[in-house]
Amino acid sequence: MIQRIQSVFLAIVAICMLLTPFSTIWLRIHGESRVELTYLYLIEQHGVKIAHHTTLYALLVALAAAAIAIFSLFSYRNRLRQMQLGLINTLMMCGVLGLNVGLFVPQAEKALGITDIQANPWEAYQWGFFLPIIALIANILANRFIRRDELLVRASDRMR
């Protein structure tokens, strides 16, 4: 049924992943240099020189994760399919996080020219970085409750 708790968690996953195009992942200002990383672009501003780099494939993976979450939300009659879609969605969100941490943030740091360790390296991360993490936690909780429902149905079928 759509009013179950896993539906709320799947809706949180979809909302978080749909908010990603409008969010900033990483922002650092160092002197006259400013580097901003979003899901659409990596923009470097050094005085007046502006260079754009595309980060569109992370956005496509995030939107695919949102689409899978919405499809999983409305396929509540088939819990096994929901669990499979949850697994695929977990892999997609881990891919988004991997692209952010392993590829885009090091590119942004390299563009800014930061080689020393800052006093607080987490201050550059914006709320767009944490949206996939929130979505991943909500997806894990949704999968847990979907599995709990499936075990409950199997146990009631055994009792008949």
Side-chain angles (χ1 to χ4, degrees):
M1 288 184 256
I2 203 154
Q3 69 263 22
R4 306 293 262 167
I5 188 69
Q6 59 263 26
S7 299
V8 173
F9 288 125
L10 288 172
I12 290 171
V13 171
I15 290 169
C16 285
M17 298 314 283
L18 287 174
L19 284 176
T20 55
F22 310 108
S23 62
T24 301
I25 301 170
W26 193 85
L27 175 67
R28 180 68 61 100
I29 300 171
H30 188 69
E32 288 186 9
S33 300
R34 179 179 189 266
V35 176
E36 181 180 5
L37 174 65
T38 67
Y39 283 93
L40 296 174
Y41 57 83
L42 168 64
I43 186 167
E44 307 170 33
Q45 296 176 341
H46 300 287
V48 291
K49 178 187 167 196
I50 298 175
H52 290 280
H53 303 284
T54 183
T55 58
L56 190 61
Y57 39 95
L59 175 66
L60 295 176
V61 174
L63 292 178
I68 290 172
I70 291 170
F71 182 70
S72 178
L73 178 64
F74 291 110
S75 64
Y76 54 87
R77 293 177 192 222
N78 192 347
R79 285 175 298 278
L80 293 177
R81 182 186 306 151
Q82 271 188 323
M83 286 190 287
Q84 291 170 349
L85 290 173
L87 176 65
I88 292 169
N89 215 2
T90 300
L91 294 175
M92 295 280 244
M93 287 183 278
C94 286
V96 169
L97 284 172
L99 284 171
N100 287 343
V101 172
L103 185 63
F104 296 136
V105 171
Q107 280 182 355
E109 289 175 349
K110 182 180 171 187
L112 192 57
I114 296 176
T115 56
D116 61 336
I117 297 174
Q118 301 291 328
N120 188 5
W122 287 100
E123 70 186 7
Y125 292 100
Q126 302 294 313
W127 62 281
F129 179 79
F130 299 103
L131 282 175
I133 296 171
I134 294 168
L136 185 63
I137 292 169
N139 191 50
I140 290 170
L141 290 172
N143 285 341
R144 172 176 239 138
F145 285 109
I146 292 167
R147 178 157 170 76
R148 184 179 292 169
D149 279 355
E150 180 64 23
L151 291 176
L152 183 67
V153 168
R154 285 186 184 180
S156 67
D157 284 344
R158 229 178 300 146
M159 292 173 71
R160 285 189 216 173

